[in-house]
Amino acid sequence: MSKVGRWIDERTGLGGPVRSFLNYAVPGYVHKNALYMLGGLTLIIFALQAFTGILLAFFYDPSTEGAYNSVDFITYTLPLGWLIRGIHHYGASAMVILTALHMLRTYFFSAYKKPREINWLTGVLLLFLTLAFGFTGYLLPWDQKGYWATNVGTRIAGSVPLIGDALMQLMRGGANLGQATLTRFFATHVLLLPATLALLIAVHIFQLRYHGMSPAITEKGKKEGGKFVPFFPYWVVNDAIAGLGMLAILIFLSATQRAPLEFPADPASSNFVPRPEWYFLFYYQMLKYFPGGLEPVATVLIPLFIFGSMVLLPFIDKGEERRPWKKPVTTIAAVFYIVVIVVFTALAL
Amino acid sequence: MKLSQMPFLFVAGSIMLAACASGPATSPPNTLTAVKVDAVSTDAAASIWANAPKTTTVTKAAKKGAADGSTVTLQAVYDGTSIAIRAEWADSTDSWQRNVWKYDGAAWKRGGDQDRFSMAFPMSNNAEFASKGCGAICHNQETDDTKWWMGTDNADTKIDLWQWQSAATNPVAYADDAWWGTKPTITSTTGRRSDANTGGGAKANNAADGKGPAFVNKSGLDAHYILAGEEVALDMSKIASGAVIPGSILAPYTGSRGDVAAKGVYADGKWVLVMVRKLNTGNEDDAVFTPSKPVPFGIGLFNNAGDIDHTISPDVLTLAWK
């Protein structure tokens, strides 16, 4: 340890825990499988979102009069503002994709089984928080797309039986979208969600370290189970390289297709057709199949069923079997959901 | 990580790219996409237009009950400093006799109008213009045309207006650069103002007594216009009944009012017009164009007419960039 390191360690006692964290033994079957990088990549993209979000917040004006102009300034006038906003914009999509892929890896590898139930539950919450980030961030530019998509989104919340009106009122801060809505969405997006997400990530990682990686599901993997490499530098370097690759993709996207900014929100506009961000398109499409009195089926029952089944999964599927090809029910159920989401998204495009 | 796992990363990256970049491959309706070229030009036949996407808009009467207008085909290109917009529309006549002097054998009479094409761009982000178009702003959201006053409701809302005129500006290769704001005084009938100028402009071709023209074009009595410096004194001995003499002596404006270079050519029953302006003129009375930033705009078409007798793009048009 260097002189400076010793000085810090003597005063903080951090040396031991940090060494322990970095020397964590990663099983060979994990280190050699790129699918296990998804969690680390999701963490990296969250850090990137937090960093770019802080930079954007320096210039963003959370008022209905100033929001659009401030985002316009960031996008078209501020040096490299287009890049920061572009990374944040496309990073949001990347975070949804990576979170979903990480979740699928966990699901198909049965990594939610005892004793990792809490890790799975925090993962489910993290997925929904990621979607909440997308929903609340959408309104912030105060452009037509964000305004009308939020209008529809909050109306969907309003259609929930019994508590719908109160829920919509809570989200909007009034009967209509306005300054109160923007303030609430901004506070949720930059304070409540990041703090909750960071806390859940901490619990998630602590659980991961406490229980260790879930067992390998293949014979080959099991053979590798006895071999270990230290977390640092092996896994860290792998994830860092993949993270840089992901950053390169985000920069490429930001440079070739600027983060969109529609025209300013006009509450009096009657001809704007609201459309959600691509990761909500499947839901937008599904709502079309449940008109009128059937609406609560799509707005309440189906989301509750999906969320409930995700929460209950580790308590229902308690068997020892972890191989997806030996578990047709869970595998077919997941494939069904994936196909529905892909098909509905394609139909809505 | 093994090399054999690289395809997974490739697939994951591709999914990210495809999902993140999902968007229309072609221009959406009512969108004029400006494409980058080496250098813009007012030449409507130049090769720069070959790859510029065309967008069409069927113009509708601005005044209730009046006839609708031609379909206008638009294209746009830009280079490092300027944007050029090409407009093409059918017109059965080349209307050049704006405010001309006509001799009936006994006396001179003034009259006549011209063809015009105008474009309106908001000078700042404006939700109302962006969602309702120039009709909502310029016409003060009033369907009764007698109540129009051609201005904006809000002092912060300013609209840049380029108006090309077949007789008054085309011969001197510019479009009149003006802007709309709120009414300057309570008794004003319009919020329209001309951009600042440092000289130039048309002068009336009036004799001292105001009862006839003072000059003709030195090239002859058939000329459709008289440019400043080309005027020669009228010789009444050469004038026969039915003579038509241009009512103005034209010179291009200098300063902000003359920012928009324009060249319109009438042939085969249609006008083909190209207007060119700097992306950023540096003038306070002009809209600033930032390539990559979409801009809402509207167009107006005047067929041998002026004032409210015109047709407009019924939908908001968007200037996009490629």
Coordinates of all heavy atoms in Angstrom, one line a residue, chain A residues 122-187:
Chain A
T122 N -35.3 -7.0 -5.6 CA -34.7 -5.7 -5.8 C -34.5 -5.5 -7.3 O -34.7 -4.4 -7.8 CB -33.3 -5.5 -5.1 OG1 -32.5 -6.7 -5.4 CG2 -33.5 -5.5 -3.6
G123 N -34.2 -6.6 -8.0 CA -34.0 -6.5 -9.5 C -35.3 -6.1 -10.2 O -35.4 -5.3 -11.1
V124 N -36.5 -6.7 -9.7 CA -37.8 -6.4 -10.3 C -38.1 -4.9 -10.0 O -38.5 -4.2 -10.9 CB -38.9 -7.2 -9.6 CG1 -40.3 -6.8 -10.0 CG2 -38.7 -8.7 -10.0
L125 N -37.8 -4.4 -8.8 CA -38.0 -3.0 -8.5 C -37.1 -2.1 -9.3 O -37.6 -1.1 -9.8 CB -37.8 -2.8 -7.0 CG -38.8 -3.4 -6.0 CD1 -38.4 -3.1 -4.6 CD2 -40.2 -2.8 -6.3
L126 N -35.9 -2.5 -9.5 CA -35.0 -1.7 -10.3 C -35.5 -1.6 -11.8 O -35.3 -0.6 -12.4 CB -33.6 -2.4 -10.3 CG -32.8 -2.1 -9.0 CD1 -31.6 -3.0 -8.9 CD2 -32.4 -0.7 -8.9
L127 N -36.0 -2.7 -12.3 CA -36.6 -2.7 -13.7 C -37.7 -1.6 -13.8 O -37.7 -0.8 -14.7 CB -37.1 -4.0 -14.1 CG -37.8 -4.1 -15.4 CD1 -36.8 -3.8 -16.6 CD2 -38.5 -5.4 -15.6
F128 N -38.6 -1.7 -12.8 CA -39.7 -0.7 -12.8 C -39.3 0.7 -12.6 O -39.8 1.6 -13.1 CB -40.8 -1.2 -11.8 CG -41.7 -2.3 -12.4 CD1 -41.3 -3.6 -12.2 CD2 -42.8 -2.0 -13.2 CE1 -42.1 -4.6 -12.7 CE2 -43.5 -3.0 -13.8 CZ -43.2 -4.4 -13.5
L129 N -38.2 0.9 -11.7 CA -37.7 2.2 -11.5 C -37.1 2.7 -12.8 O -37.1 3.9 -13.1 CB -36.7 2.2 -10.4 CG -37.2 2.1 -8.9 CD1 -36.0 2.1 -7.9 CD2 -38.1 3.3 -8.6
T130 N -36.4 1.8 -13.5 CA -35.8 2.3 -14.8 C -36.9 2.8 -15.7 O -36.7 3.8 -16.4 CB -35.0 1.1 -15.4 OG1 -34.0 0.7 -14.5 CG2 -34.4 1.5 -16.7
L131 N -38.0 2.1 -15.8 CA -39.1 2.5 -16.6 C -39.7 3.8 -16.1 O -40.0 4.7 -16.9 CB -40.2 1.4 -16.7 CG -39.8 0.1 -17.4 CD1 -40.9 -0.9 -17.3 CD2 -39.4 0.4 -18.9
A132 N -39.7 4.0 -14.8 CA -40.2 5.2 -14.2 C -39.3 6.4 -14.6 O -39.7 7.5 -14.8 CB -40.3 5.1 -12.7
F133 N -38.0 6.1 -14.6 CA -37.0 7.1 -15.1 C -37.4 7.6 -16.5 O -37.4 8.8 -16.8 CB -35.6 6.6 -15.1 CG -34.8 6.9 -13.9 CD1 -34.3 5.9 -13.1 CD2 -34.4 8.2 -13.7 CE1 -33.5 6.2 -12.0 CE2 -33.6 8.5 -12.6 CZ -33.2 7.5 -11.7
G134 N -37.7 6.6 -17.4 CA -38.0 7.0 -18.7 C -39.3 7.8 -18.8 O -39.4 8.8 -19.5
F135 N -40.3 7.4 -18.0 CA -41.6 8.1 -18.1 C -41.4 9.5 -17.5 O -42.0 10.5 -18.1 CB -42.6 7.3 -17.2 CG -43.9 7.9 -17.2 CD1 -44.7 8.0 -18.3 CD2 -44.5 8.4 -16.0 CE1 -46.0 8.6 -18.3 CE2 -45.7 9.0 -16.0 CZ -46.5 9.1 -17.1
T136 N -40.7 9.7 -16.4 CA -40.6 11.1 -15.9 C -39.7 12.0 -16.7 O -39.9 13.2 -16.8 CB -40.1 11.0 -14.4 OG1 -38.9 10.2 -14.3 CG2 -41.2 10.4 -13.5
G137 N -38.7 11.3 -17.3 CA -37.7 12.1 -18.0 C -38.3 12.6 -19.3 O -37.9 13.7 -19.9
Y138 N -39.3 11.9 -19.8 CA -40.0 12.3 -21.1 C -40.6 13.6 -21.1 O -40.6 14.3 -22.1 CB -41.0 11.2 -21.3 CG -41.2 10.8 -22.8 CD1 -40.1 10.5 -23.6 CD2 -42.5 10.7 -23.3 CE1 -40.3 10.1 -24.9 CE2 -42.6 10.3 -24.6 CZ -41.6 10.0 -25.4 OH -41.7 9.6 -26.7
L139 N -41.1 14.0 -20.0 CA -41.9 15.3 -19.9 C -40.9 16.5 -19.8 O -41.3 17.6 -20.2 CB -42.8 15.3 -18.7 CG -43.6 16.6 -18.4 CD1 -44.7 16.8 -19.5 CD2 -44.3 16.5 -17.1
L140 N -39.7 16.3 -19.3 CA -38.9 17.4 -18.9 C -38.6 18.4 -20.0 O -38.5 19.6 -19.7 CB -37.6 16.9 -18.3 CG -37.8 16.0 -17.0 CD1 -36.5 15.7 -16.3 CD2 -38.8 16.7 -16.0
P141 N -38.4 18.0 -21.3 CA -38.1 19.0 -22.3 C -39.3 19.9 -22.5 O -39.2 21.0 -23.2 CB -37.8 18.2 -23.6 CG -37.4 16.9 -23.1 CD -38.2 16.7 -21.8
W142 N -40.5 19.5 -22.0 CA -41.7 20.3 -22.2 C -42.0 20.5 -23.7 O -42.3 21.6 -24.1 CB -41.7 21.6 -21.4 CG -43.1 22.1 -21.1 CD1 -43.7 23.3 -21.7 CD2 -44.0 21.6 -20.2 NE1 -44.9 23.4 -21.2 CE2 -45.2 22.4 -20.3 CE3 -44.1 20.5 -19.4 CZ2 -46.3 22.2 -19.5 CZ3 -45.2 20.3 -18.6 CH2 -46.3 21.1 -18.7
D143 N -41.8 19.5 -24.5 CA -42.1 19.6 -25.9 C -43.4 18.8 -26.2 O -44.0 18.2 -25.3 CB -41.0 19.1 -26.8 CG -40.7 17.6 -26.6 OD1 -41.3 17.0 -25.7 OD2 -39.8 17.0 -27.3
Q144 N -43.9 18.9 -27.4 CA -45.2 18.3 -27.7 C -45.2 16.8 -27.4 O -46.2 16.3 -26.8 CB -45.5 18.5 -29.2 CG -45.9 19.9 -29.6 CD -47.4 20.2 -29.3 OE1 -47.7 20.3 -28.1 NE2 -48.2 20.2 -30.3
K145 N -44.2 16.1 -27.8 CA -44.2 14.7 -27.6 C -44.3 14.3 -26.1 O -45.1 13.5 -25.6 CB -42.9 14.1 -28.2 CG -42.9 12.6 -28.4 CD -41.7 12.2 -29.1 CE -41.7 10.7 -29.4 NZ -40.5 10.2 -30.1
G146 N -43.4 15.0 -25.3 CA -43.4 14.7 -23.8 C -44.7 15.1 -23.2 O -45.3 14.4 -22.3
Y147 N -45.2 16.3 -23.6 CA -46.4 16.8 -23.0 C -47.6 15.8 -23.2 O -48.3 15.4 -22.3 CB -46.7 18.2 -23.5 CG -48.0 18.8 -22.9 CD1 -47.9 19.6 -21.8 CD2 -49.2 18.6 -23.5 CE1 -49.0 20.2 -21.3 CE2 -50.4 19.1 -22.9 CZ -50.3 19.9 -21.8 OH -51.4 20.5 -21.3
W148 N -47.8 15.5 -24.5 CA -49.0 14.7 -24.8 C -48.8 13.2 -24.4 O -49.8 12.6 -24.0 CB -49.3 14.8 -26.3 CG -49.8 16.2 -26.5 CD1 -49.2 17.3 -27.2 CD2 -51.1 16.8 -26.1 NE1 -49.9 18.4 -27.1 CE2 -51.1 18.1 -26.5 CE3 -52.2 16.3 -25.4 CZ2 -52.2 19.0 -26.3 CZ3 -53.3 17.1 -25.2 CH2 -53.3 18.4 -25.6
A149 N -47.6 12.7 -24.4 CA -47.4 11.4 -23.9 C -47.7 11.3 -22.4 O -48.3 10.3 -21.9 CB -46.0 10.9 -24.2
T150 N -47.3 12.3 -21.7 CA -47.5 12.4 -20.3 C -49.0 12.6 -20.0 O -49.6 12.0 -19.0 CB -46.7 13.5 -19.6 OG1 -45.3 13.4 -19.9 CG2 -46.9 13.5 -18.1
N151 N -49.6 13.4 -20.8 CA -51.1 13.5 -20.7 C -51.8 12.2 -20.8 O -52.6 11.9 -20.0 CB -51.5 14.5 -21.9 CG -53.0 15.0 -21.7 OD1 -53.9 14.2 -21.5 ND2 -53.1 16.3 -21.7
V152 N -51.4 11.4 -21.8 CA -52.0 10.1 -21.9 C -51.6 9.2 -20.8 O -52.4 8.5 -20.2 CB -51.5 9.4 -23.3 CG1 -52.0 8.0 -23.4 CG2 -52.1 10.2 -24.5
G153 N -50.3 9.2 -20.4 CA -49.8 8.3 -19.3 C -50.5 8.6 -18.0 O -50.9 7.7 -17.3
T154 N -50.7 9.9 -17.7 CA -51.4 10.2 -16.4 C -52.9 9.9 -16.5 O -53.5 9.5 -15.5 CB -51.2 11.7 -16.1 OG1 -51.5 12.5 -17.2 CG2 -49.8 11.9 -15.6
R155 N -53.4 10.0 -17.7 CA -54.9 9.6 -17.9 C -55.0 8.1 -17.7 O -56.1 7.6 -17.2 CB -55.4 10.0 -19.3 CG -56.1 11.4 -19.2 CD -57.0 11.7 -20.4 NE -56.2 12.1 -21.5 CZ -56.3 11.5 -22.7 NH1 -57.1 10.5 -22.9 NH2 -55.5 11.9 -23.7
I156 N -54.0 7.3 -18.1 CA -54.1 5.9 -17.9 C -54.1 5.6 -16.4 O -54.9 4.8 -15.9 CB -52.9 5.2 -18.6 CG1 -53.0 5.2 -20.1 CG2 -52.7 3.7 -18.1 CD1 -51.8 4.8 -20.9
A157 N -53.3 6.3 -15.7 CA -53.3 6.2 -14.3 C -54.6 6.6 -13.7 O -55.1 6.0 -12.7 CB -52.2 7.0 -13.6
G158 N -55.2 7.6 -14.3 CA -56.5 8.0 -13.9 C -57.7 7.1 -14.1 O -58.7 7.2 -13.5
S159 N -57.4 6.1 -15.0 CA -58.5 5.1 -15.3 C -58.5 3.9 -14.3 O -59.4 3.1 -14.4 CB -58.3 4.6 -16.7 OG -57.2 3.8 -16.8
V160 N -57.6 3.9 -13.4 CA -57.6 2.9 -12.4 C -58.8 3.0 -11.5 O -59.1 4.1 -11.0 CB -56.3 3.0 -11.5 CG1 -56.4 1.9 -10.4 CG2 -55.1 2.8 -12.3
P161 N -59.6 1.9 -11.4 CA -60.8 2.1 -10.6 C -60.5 2.5 -9.1 O -59.5 2.2 -8.6 CB -61.4 0.6 -10.6 CG -60.8 0.0 -11.8 CD -59.4 0.6 -11.9
L162 N -61.4 3.3 -8.6 CA -61.5 3.8 -7.2 C -60.4 4.8 -6.9 O -60.7 5.9 -6.5 CB -61.3 2.6 -6.2 CG -62.4 1.6 -6.3 CD1 -62.1 0.4 -5.3 CD2 -63.8 2.2 -6.0
I163 N -59.1 4.5 -7.2 CA -58.1 5.5 -6.8 C -57.5 6.3 -8.0 O -56.6 7.1 -7.8 CB -56.9 4.7 -6.1 CG1 -56.3 3.7 -7.0 CG2 -57.3 4.1 -4.8 CD1 -54.9 3.2 -6.6
G164 N -58.1 6.0 -9.2 CA -57.6 6.6 -10.4 C -57.5 8.1 -10.3 O -56.4 8.7 -10.6
D165 N -58.6 8.8 -9.9 CA -58.6 10.3 -9.9 C -57.5 10.8 -9.0 O -56.8 11.7 -9.3 CB -59.9 10.8 -9.4 CG -60.9 10.7 -10.6 OD1 -60.5 10.6 -11.7 OD2 -62.1 10.8 -10.3
A166 N -57.4 10.2 -7.8 CA -56.4 10.6 -6.8 C -55.0 10.4 -7.3 O -54.1 11.3 -7.2 CB -56.6 9.9 -5.5
L167 N -54.8 9.3 -8.0 CA -53.5 9.0 -8.5 C -53.1 10.0 -9.6 O -52.0 10.5 -9.6 CB -53.6 7.5 -9.1 CG -52.3 6.8 -9.4 CD1 -51.5 6.7 -8.1 CD2 -52.5 5.4 -10.0
M168 N -54.1 10.3 -10.5 CA -53.8 11.2 -11.6 C -53.5 12.6 -11.0 O -52.6 13.3 -11.4 CB -54.9 11.3 -12.6 CG -54.7 12.1 -13.8 SD -55.9 11.9 -15.1 CE -57.2 13.0 -14.4
Q169 N -54.3 13.0 -10.0 CA -54.1 14.3 -9.3 C -52.7 14.3 -8.7 O -52.1 15.4 -8.7 CB -55.2 14.4 -8.3 CG -55.4 15.8 -7.7 CD -56.4 16.6 -8.5 OE1 -56.9 16.2 -9.5 NE2 -56.6 17.8 -8.0
L170 N -52.3 13.2 -8.1 CA -51.0 13.2 -7.4 C -49.9 13.3 -8.4 O -48.9 14.1 -8.2 CB -50.9 11.8 -6.7 CG -49.6 11.6 -6.0 CD1 -49.5 12.4 -4.7 CD2 -49.4 10.1 -5.6
M171 N -50.0 12.7 -9.6 CA -49.0 12.8 -10.6 C -49.0 14.2 -11.2 O -47.9 14.7 -11.5 CB -49.2 11.7 -11.7 CG -49.0 10.3 -11.2 SD -49.6 9.1 -12.4 CE -48.2 9.0 -13.5
R172 N -50.1 14.7 -11.5 CA -50.2 16.0 -12.2 C -50.0 17.2 -11.3 O -49.7 18.3 -11.7 CB -51.5 16.1 -12.9 CG -51.6 15.2 -14.1 CD -52.9 15.4 -14.9 NE -53.0 14.6 -16.1 CZ -54.0 14.7 -17.0 NH1 -55.0 15.5 -16.8 NH2 -53.9 14.0 -18.1
G173 N -50.3 17.0 -10.0 CA -50.3 18.1 -9.1 C -51.5 19.1 -9.3 O -51.5 20.2 -9.0
G174 N -52.5 18.6 -10.0 CA -53.7 19.4 -10.3 C -54.5 18.6 -11.3 O -54.2 17.5 -11.6
A175 N -55.5 19.3 -11.8 CA -56.4 18.6 -12.8 C -55.7 18.5 -14.1 O -56.0 17.5 -14.8 CB -57.7 19.4 -12.9
N176 N -54.9 19.5 -14.5 CA -54.3 19.4 -15.8 C -52.8 19.4 -15.7 O -52.2 19.7 -14.6 CB -54.7 20.7 -16.6 CG -56.2 20.7 -16.8 OD1 -56.8 19.7 -17.3 ND2 -56.9 21.8 -16.4
L177 N -52.1 19.2 -16.8 CA -50.7 19.3 -16.8 C -50.2 20.7 -16.7 O -50.8 21.6 -17.5 CB -50.1 18.6 -18.1 CG -49.6 17.2 -18.0 CD1 -50.8 16.3 -17.7 CD2 -49.0 16.8 -19.3
G178 N -49.3 21.0 -15.9 CA -48.8 22.4 -15.8 C -47.5 22.4 -15.0 O -46.8 21.4 -14.9
Q179 N -47.3 23.6 -14.4 CA -46.0 23.8 -13.6 C -45.9 22.7 -12.5 O -44.8 22.2 -12.3 CB -46.0 25.2 -13.0 CG -44.7 25.5 -12.3 CD -43.4 25.3 -13.1 OE1 -43.3 25.9 -14.2 NE2 -42.5 24.4 -12.7
A180 N -47.0 22.4 -11.8 CA -46.9 21.5 -10.7 C -46.5 20.1 -11.2 O -45.8 19.4 -10.6 CB -48.3 21.4 -10.0
T181 N -47.0 19.7 -12.4 CA -46.7 18.4 -13.0 C -45.2 18.4 -13.3 O -44.5 17.4 -13.0 CB -47.4 18.2 -14.3 OG1 -48.8 18.7 -14.2 CG2 -47.5 16.7 -14.7
L182 N -44.7 19.5 -13.9 CA -43.3 19.5 -14.3 C -42.4 19.5 -13.1 O -41.4 18.7 -13.0 CB -43.0 20.8 -15.1 CG -41.6 20.9 -15.7 CD1 -41.3 19.7 -16.6 CD2 -41.4 22.2 -16.4
T183 N -42.8 20.2 -12.0 CA -42.0 20.2 -10.8 C -42.0 18.8 -10.2 O -40.9 18.3 -9.8 CB -42.6 21.2 -9.8 OG1 -42.7 22.5 -10.4 CG2 -41.8 21.3 -8.5
R184 N -43.1 18.1 -10.2 CA -43.2 16.8 -9.6 C -42.4 15.8 -10.4 O -41.6 14.9 -9.8 CB -44.6 16.3 -9.4 CG -45.3 17.1 -8.4 CD -46.8 16.7 -8.2 NE -47.3 17.6 -7.2 CZ -48.4 17.3 -6.4 NH1 -49.0 16.1 -6.5 NH2 -48.8 18.1 -5.5
F185 N -42.5 15.9 -11.7 CA -41.7 14.9 -12.5 C -40.2 15.2 -12.4 O -39.4 14.3 -12.4 CB -42.2 15.0 -14.0 CG -43.4 14.2 -14.3 CD1 -44.6 14.3 -13.6 CD2 -43.3 13.2 -15.3 CE1 -45.7 13.5 -13.8 CE2 -44.4 12.4 -15.6 CZ -45.6 12.5 -14.8
F186 N -39.9 16.5 -12.4 CA -38.4 16.8 -12.2 C -37.9 16.3 -10.9 O -36.8 15.7 -10.9 CB -38.3 18.3 -12.4 CG -36.9 18.8 -12.2 CD1 -35.9 18.4 -13.2 CD2 -36.5 19.6 -11.2 CE1 -34.6 18.9 -13.1 CE2 -35.2 20.1 -11.1 CZ -34.2 19.7 -12.0
A187 N -38.6 16.6 -9.8 CA -38.1 16.2 -8.5 C -38.0 14.6 -8.4 O -37.1 14.1 -7.9 CB -39.1 16.7 -7.4

